[in-house]
Amino acid sequence: MKSFMMRGTKILATGSAVPDSSLSNHKMSEIVQTSDEWIFTRTGIKERRLLTGVNQSVADLAILASRKALDKISMNPQDIDLIILATSSPNDLFGSASQIQCKLGAINAVAFDLTAACSGFILGIVTASQFLQNGSYRNILVIGADVLSKWIDWSDRSTCILFGDAAGAAILQSCSKEDNSILEFQLNTDGNYSNHLSISYQEEINPHPILNLYQGSFKYVVMNGKEVYKFAVSQVPLSILKCLKSLNISVGDIDWLLLHQANERILKAVAEKLSISSSKIIANLSKYGNTSAASIPLALDEALQDKKISHNDIIVVSGFGAGLTWGTIIMQWKSY
Ligand code: COA
């Protein structure tokens, strides 16, 4: 627990939403040259959900997930002080959080987007907990939502098989230090490797004829899969160990390992490196693929619905991805 903490953070409720439209590996093999066997053995993914239809955006999924979380505790949206939307696929580059604020009727909340790709939800929770622990705000809605299907090159079989669309939300509340659930965190970025996973902005060849100004647009997800794999498997265990050390607890104290749902092989390799039993891994990526910022809250919400997680369980939650940015939160789950 951070020594400067004045108050604690508790997680009151979670919610999640996925689109109805599902794309199986078999169907994928009609789109690019691949097979169910190739995808499943290398990633553990069987299917993913895609946000299809006209005028559907990340905000729609985020609103759905948020409403479910609010409904669980019958919270009035007007009681939310802050909304943090972790996303890398907004429908407005100025941010999508304000659309969510408006549609939820959270008229008293300030709202902003946070961009940290697949680590976005981790960064969102850590950011929110600072406001809660220093007493600035009482109720914060943190959403992880992404619709990377809109940013995928659907002819690139090395990336299009991996991602899916979803949203997950958590309502955090300021509480006494004794009830605090966010015990420790550890965050990292190494921009040297930002090119390993990006959706980069590409300028047109010719500038504006008078202004010498180059305009352009964002293209598609580009990834060096092997390097990202190596990065995750080497750095995530180190981050977890650092976090455990600063809390003065051991691997044996962990009840659940909740990693960003990128690839089943990564989940297993991290658990193996830390000698954590695979029965403690929370995984749902076979159904949804890598849903970027949504993956952690989606998996957490499902695990809670399945009643896997009990009061006072220690959950190690790690995110990793583009940036490259990665980080860990150690939570002690409190049931209300
Ligand atoms: N279906 C069939 N073959 C495919 C394929 C697909 N979907 N995608 C790539 N291949 C082919 C490649 O073209 C290559 O063929 P070649 O040997 O003839 O050149 C071969 O399979 C091996 O490709 P490679 O990229 O070396 O595969 P890999 O074993 O590294 O597995 C990933 C690819 C993407 C599954 C793996 O690198 C990975 O999971 N990386 C982490 C990605 C990740 O999690 N990113 C998000 C982090 S937030």
Side-chain angles (χ1 to χ4, degrees), residues 36-55:
D36 174 50
E37 200 264 330
W38 194 97
I39 299 171
F40 186 67
T41 51
R42 282 183 175 70
T43 69
I45 298 167
K46 273 282 179 194
E47 57 184 325
R48 68 288 292 147
R49 300 295 182 94
L50 304 183
L51 189 67
T52 55
V54 191
N55 277 334

Side-chain angles (χ1 to χ4, degrees), residues 53-129:
V54 191
N55 277 334
Q56 293 291 301
S57 79
V58 73
D60 297 291
L61 286 179
I63 289 163
L64 220 56
S66 304
R67 283 206 178 114
K68 287 188 192 171
L70 285 161
D71 286 351
K72 276 185 195 158
I73 48 169
S74 304
M75 181 182 262
N76 184 335
Q78 297 188 11
D79 290 336
I80 302 169
D81 303 306
L82 171 65
I83 297 172
I84 300 176
L85 171 66
T87 189
S88 304
S89 43
N91 60 348
D92 185 328
L93 269 188
F94 288 144
S96 296
S98 59
Q99 297 167 37
I100 296 164
Q101 184 254 19
C102 165
K103 292 206 174 121
L104 285 179
I107 53 169
N108 296 311
V110 65
F112 64 83
D113 286 25
L114 181 158
T115 309
C118 301
S119 304
F121 189 74
I122 294 282
L123 274 285
I125 293 282
V126 171
T127 305
S129 66

Side-chain angles (χ1 to χ4, degrees), residues 34 38 42 118 157 223 225-226 228-229 260 262-263 290 320:
T34 190
W38 194 97
R42 282 183 175 70
C118 301
R157 66 180 181 173
M223 182 182 71
K226 278 203 191 315
V228 172
Y229 186 94
H260 164 52
N263 178 322
N290 177 346
F320 54 89

